[in-house]
């Protein structure tokens, strides 16, 4: 484009205008000539012909010979009239030949005219002209002529040719420019590059298509400066603004908030567009992938360096060249520790410094192992010693993988670790193994090992004799495959379950056959074996002959738990079984019975016949008692002539259980009333039997025995040889309960019930709330504890009006407190009974009460027990959730005393747990209670629940609970339950 004049378009326009003027003039002249012929005046034609400014010639049509030319023609062609007379148009070079002339002129015989034909003409002076020929057909004197007009269009045609060439060049240049633009745009897209230009005028900012793509905008939607810069990350905006101000070509990298929600990284360079710097342009590249790749690479390199620095050994890379020389491109920092002071720089500069530390005795093996691995290109692992200048010897393990490179060199990537401790352990293990074998050979115990399938793989013991157990025959078998006796199927199942669980077991006892066929008792103990990765590999353990110990144990147990005379359980064993029976009864809600049996007039037999005869009677009585009851029942002798029969798993209904016991009692009486043969003496004896029933564990063992004993004495008072049940106290209790229920009903009507309040404090001993506790101000009994009337109210249904009254009074007290700034934040905890909570209208009743009293539900806390929530958990959750929506919160009272379950605890919308005072009481003396308290506190924290400790009575208890994270306290240390007029609020720290 640099060869085209800058004013090319103006020049082309000028030439076109001149050409049009000339064409109009020529047309006029042609028309004038036609008019001249029309005049048929030779004089006028001659004047016009000679004076015309157009080059005109006249030649015969038949042969083209010139007849006349005017002066302008002569001037234009350089030929005078004398030069052309007698010559034809072909002769002077208008046509190349006659055929050319004929081909051009023949068509005009029809039209009579020839218009604007360009012909090439060579002047005599050698100048080549482009002449435009126009001709008309005329007749003069009956002869046909051509009147021709010539015009020099050489300059015009040259300009036209140049213009055409320029247009073609411009088109070609434009095509190349479009191709370059397309290429540039492709490069922009491929390289994630764009550019912008900006002038001094507002709105002069222009973006390339690539710039739009980078910005995530549609082409043409250029952002203003403020809008565009708002997408630059706030931390990067200052450096971008500074770079834009300087426009010095410096690279600036910044983050761009892309419309797709991501943050892109961009790199830009800006330069001035004009000398004064008012105009500027910038190139922008998206380097998000580059930054992310760089960041990922840095993270990987950092991770590798971090891992390398923490590996328990030295990571190295060693290159052994084909000529035998070697170099160390890399070695990790731990070389300082393993090679005692050698730095990575020293080793990389002189790798031989490490080789010089190899123990002289290990150098040959080291070289052989490395040469073998290098030749075969196989993994290399070698243990060897290092000998340091001060004489210290350390073991190391080197492992590497060689790789052969194209130039014949071998590249080793490896790892070296200090195994001195392992070697020392192996040495100690060998010594220990030797000592163990020596002890095994001398000991009566034996050592055994099993694999993962519990098959014996090793048995070590002392020298065998005919009385010892065979050992090698056990290899490949399990313990239950060999002939073992004295183990039930249930015991085998439990033992196998222990092994499957990979647990340690102790003293699993069984009987085994000796080599001579005799039986012996053995006790086996074992523990599981795990490899370094924690995989189970089998068991190891010891066996011991406990035959003598077993015999002694059986003798001692017999003496300790059984009566020597009758072989029946004694008092000690009876008490143990009775304790278990009480627990089972409480858990299974079943009924049991004790029958206390005393032989009538036994003393008389002893006095008259002697103790030997009396002992015979006692033995026979024992036999008959055992024969009268089931195998699961217990017959025991307490001493003298007193026996006890314990019956279990009786009917759950008391009436049916009583009938069962009575039937057994009659059977016993029938058996004991039969004649006894005491040697040669026939003797008749009768029993007096007292019975007491039990159905839970609320009564102590001594109480049960006393009750049965009292019933037995009642039987004797009734005439002996009879059976009596213990029940007067039960009748008295029922009567007392009936009277108490009636009095409570009247007490509710007479407003004898009052609320007491016990403060709840925080860690600073500031009162944050209270618990409302109901009391009965009886007119004659005085203040009645809730433990005496609440259970009865629960059973009788009086708990519903009682609970409603408690909630109403508590809400009214909350309203009173809300009127004062010092008490408006206090919470009120109210216990809700199971029967009250399960009432279908309970939720509505609470909501109505809150609405009627105006109490703030956020200050009301309802305390529920675990047993209440376990009955119908889903219903409890729904009720609690409904009340929680209005602001009422819930606390789990006496936590830990029931069947606590984390599964339901997570489901319930609770806000608080209360540690039962039974755990707090002995928290400083009983490790179990302390552990339970810590567990509850930790559980509360993990579940996001507040925890209140009940029954805090000493500063020591408070300190322990506070130390373990408890934040709320309740107990006598801060105040007993008192009426509202005696309740002290605020700071109670003086009491601690």
């Amino acid at each position: 484009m640099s060869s085209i004049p800058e004013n090319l378009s103006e020049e082309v326009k000028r030439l076109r205008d001149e050409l049009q003027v000339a064409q109009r003039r020529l047309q006029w002249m042609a028309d004038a000539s036609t008019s001249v012929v029309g005049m048929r005046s030779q004089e006028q034609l001659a004047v016009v012909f000679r004076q015309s400014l157009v080059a005109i010639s006249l030649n015969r049509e038949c042969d083209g010979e010139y007849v006349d030319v005017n002066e302008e023609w002569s001037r234009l062609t350089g030929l005078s009239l004398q030069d052309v007379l007698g010559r034809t148009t072909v002769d002077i070079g208008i046509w190349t030949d006659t055929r050319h002339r004929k081909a051009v002129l023949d068509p005009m015989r029809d039209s009579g005219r020839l218009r604007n034909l360009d012909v090439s003409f060579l002047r005599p002076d050698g100048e080549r002209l482009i002449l435009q020929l126009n001709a008309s057909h005329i007749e003069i004197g009956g002869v046909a002529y051509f009147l021709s007009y010539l015009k020099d269009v050489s300059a015009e045609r040259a300009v036209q040719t140049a213009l055409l060439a320029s247009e073609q060049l411009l088109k070609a240049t434009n095509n190349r420019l479009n191709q370059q633009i397309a290429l540039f745009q492709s490069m922009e897209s491929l390289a994630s590059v764009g550019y912008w230009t900006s002038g001094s005028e507002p709105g002069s900012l222009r973006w390339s298509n690539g710039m739009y793509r980078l910005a995530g905008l549609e082409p043409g939607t250029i952002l203003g400066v403020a809008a565009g810069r708002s997408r630059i990350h706030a931390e990067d905006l200052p450096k971008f603004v500074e770079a834009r101000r300087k426009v010095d070509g410096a690279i600036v990298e910044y983050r761009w908030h892309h419309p797709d929600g991501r943050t892109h990284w961009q790199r830009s360079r800006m330069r001035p567009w004009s000398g004064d710097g008012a105009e500027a342009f910038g190139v922008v590249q998206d380097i998000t992938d580059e930054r992310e790749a760089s960041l990922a690479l840095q993270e990987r390199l950092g991770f590798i360096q971090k891992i390398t620095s923490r590996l328990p050994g030295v990571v190295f890379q060693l290159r052994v060249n084909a000529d035998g020389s070697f170099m160390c491109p890399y070695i990790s920092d731990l070389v300082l520790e393993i090679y005692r002071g050698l730095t990575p720089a020293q080793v990389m500069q002189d790798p031989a410094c490490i080789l010089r530390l190899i123990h002289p005795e290990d150098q040959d093996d080291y070289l052989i192992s490395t040469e073998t691995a290098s030749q075969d290109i196989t993994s290399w692992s070698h243990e060897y010693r290092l000998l340091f200048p001060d004489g210290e010897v350390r073991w190391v393990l080197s492992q590497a993988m060689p790789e052969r490179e194209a130039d014949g060199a071998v590249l080793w990537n490896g790892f070296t670790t200090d195994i001195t401790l392992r070697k020392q352990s192996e040495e100690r293990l060998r010594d220990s193994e030797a000592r163990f074998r020596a002890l095994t050979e001398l000991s009566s115990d034996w050592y055994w090992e099993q694999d993962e399938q519990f098959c014996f793989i090793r048995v070590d013991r002392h020298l065998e004799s005919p009385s010892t157990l065979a050992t090698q025959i056990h290899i490949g078998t399990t313990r239950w495959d060999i002939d073992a006796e004295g183990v039930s199927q249930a015991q085998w199942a439990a033992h196998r379950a222990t092994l499957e669980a990979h647990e340690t077991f102790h003293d699993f006892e069984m009987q085994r056959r000796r080599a001579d066929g005799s039986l012996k008792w053995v006790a086996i103990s074992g523990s599981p074996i795990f490899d370094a990765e924690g995989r189970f590999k089998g068991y190891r353990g010891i066996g011991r002959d406990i035959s003598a110990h077993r015999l002694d144990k059986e003798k001692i147990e017999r003496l300790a738990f059984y009566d020597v005379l009758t072989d029946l359980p004694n008092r000690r064993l009876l008490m143990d079984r009775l304790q278990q029976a009480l627990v089972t009864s409480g858990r299974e809600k079943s009924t049991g019975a004790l029958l206390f049996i005393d032989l009538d007039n036994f003393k008389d037999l002893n006095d008259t016949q002697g103790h030997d005869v009396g002992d015979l009677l006692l033995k026979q009585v024992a036999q008959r008692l055992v024969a009268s009851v089931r195998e699961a029942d217990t017959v025991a002798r307490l001493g003298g002539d007193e026996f006890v029969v314990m019956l279990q798993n009786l009917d759950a209904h008391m009436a049916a259980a009583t009938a069962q016991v009575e039937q057994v009692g009659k059977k016993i009486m029938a058996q004991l009333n039969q004649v006894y043969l005491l040697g040669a003496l026939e003797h008749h004896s009768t029993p007096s039997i007292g019975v007491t029933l039990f159905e839970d564990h609320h009564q102590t063992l001594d109480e049960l025995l006393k009750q049965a004993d009292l019933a037995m004495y009642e039987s004797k008072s009734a005439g002996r040889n009879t059976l009596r049940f213990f029940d007067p106290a039960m009748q008295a209790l029922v009567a007392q309960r009936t009277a108490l229920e009636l009095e409570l009903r009247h007490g509710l009507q007479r407003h004898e019930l009052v609320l007491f309040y016990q403060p709840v404090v925080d860690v600073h001993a500031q009162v944050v709330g209270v618990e409302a506790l109901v009391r009965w101000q009886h007119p004659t009994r005085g203040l009645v504890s809730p433990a005496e009337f609440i259970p009865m109210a629960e059973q009788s249904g009086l708990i519903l009006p009682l609970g409603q009254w408690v909630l109403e009074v508590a809400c009214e007290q909350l309203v009173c407190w809300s009127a004062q700034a010092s008490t408006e934040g206090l919470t009120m905890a109210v216990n809700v009974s199971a029967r009250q909570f399960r009432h279908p209208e309970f939720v509505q009743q609470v909501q109505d009460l809150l609405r009627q009293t105006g109490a703030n539900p956020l200050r009301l806390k309802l305390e529920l027990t675990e047993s209440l929530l376990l009955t119908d958990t889903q219903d409890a959750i729904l009720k609690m959730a409904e009340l929680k929506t209005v602001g009422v919160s819930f606390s789990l009272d006496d936590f830990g005393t029931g069947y606590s379950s984390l599964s339901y605890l997570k489901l319930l919308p609770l806000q608080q747990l209360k540690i039962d005072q039974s755990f707090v009481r002995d928290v400083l003396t009983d490790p179990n209670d302390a552990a339970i308290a810590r567990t509850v506190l930790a559980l509360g924290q993990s579940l996001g629940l507040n925890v209140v400790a009940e029954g805090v009575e000493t500063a020591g208890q408070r300190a322990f609970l506070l130390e373990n994270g408890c934040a709320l306290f309740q107990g006598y240390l801060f105040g007993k339950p008192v009426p509202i007029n005696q309740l002290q609020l605020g700071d109670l720290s003086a009491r601690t």
Side-chain angles (χ1 to χ4, degrees), residues 42 94 134 141 154 185 197 244 256 298-299 313 353 444 455 490 510 546 595 618 726 733 743 819 821 958:
Q42 293 184 352
I94 296 296
N134 284 272
S154 301
Q185 290 177 343
T197 61
R244 180 65 181 87
W256 175 268
Q298 290 177 0
E299 290 179 350
C353 65
S444 61
C455 294
M510 65 176 71
I546 59 168
L595 286 74
L618 293 175
F726 178 80
L733 184 60
E743 291 178 6
R958 174 182 179 272

Side-chain angles (χ1 to χ4, degrees), residues 662-862:
E662 188 173 10
Q663 183 180 0
V664 174
K666 290 180 178 180
K667 183 179 180 181
I668 290 174
M669 291 183 66
Q671 288 287 333
L672 297 187
N673 270 275
Q674 295 180 13
V675 176
Y676 296 88
L677 293 177
L678 307 176
L681 176 67
E682 287 188 2
H683 180 71
H684 182 269
S685 177
T686 60
S688 295
I689 304 176
V691 180
T692 186
L693 300 178
F694 59 86
E695 57 181 346
D696 52 39
H697 59 283
H698 293 306
Q699 295 166 297
T700 66
L701 305 182
D702 289 336
E703 287 174 346
L704 287 175
L705 286 175
K706 288 179 181 179
Q707 290 175 5
D709 191 29
L710 289 173
M712 183 271 295
Y713 279 108
E714 186 68 22
S715 177
K716 285 187 178 293
S717 300
R720 291 186 172 87
N721 196 25
T722 187
L723 181 145
R724 287 288 184 270
F725 283 85
F726 178 80
D727 64 349
M730 185 182 301
Q731 278 299 111
L733 184 60
V734 171
Q736 181 181 357
R737 176 183 173 279
T738 303
L740 188 63
E741 178 183 344
L742 181 60
E743 291 178 6
L744 180 59
R745 195 178 301 275
H746 293 160
L748 281 169
Q749 297 172 355
R750 293 193 291 261
H751 305 291
E752 294 174 0
L753 295 169
V754 294
L755 277 190
F756 278 35
Y757 303 88
Q758 188 173 26
V760 177
V761 302
D762 59 14
V763 294
H764 304 295
Q766 294 289 330
V767 176
V768 296
V770 300
E771 180 180 1
L773 301 168
V774 65
R775 297 291 186 266
W776 184 6
Q777 190 65 52
H778 195 277
T780 58
R781 299 187 184 188
L783 197 61
V784 181
S785 170
E788 296 182 36
F789 64 90
I790 290 297
M792 179 271 298
E794 184 83 23
Q795 294 175 5
S796 64
L798 287 174
I799 196 68
L800 297 177
L802 175 59
Q804 185 71 7
W805 175 83
V806 171
L807 276 172
E808 182 178 356
V809 175
C811 289
E812 290 173 352
Q813 185 58 51
L814 282 175
V815 173
C816 293
W817 281 342
S818 65
Q820 301 180 21
S822 60
T823 57
E824 64 179 353
L826 295 177
T827 61
M828 177 75 70
V830 178
N831 292 282
V832 177
S833 72
R835 192 161 184 174
Q836 182 183 7
F837 185 77
R838 296 192 189 105
H839 193 278
E841 303 298 325
F842 173 73
V843 174
Q844 188 62 46
Q845 290 173 356
V846 174
Q847 292 175 342
D848 292 343
L849 196 58
L850 289 170
R851 188 164 46 252
Q852 293 168 8
T853 60
N856 186 353
L858 297 175
R859 299 289 176 256
L860 180 61
K861 186 178 301 177
L862 302 183

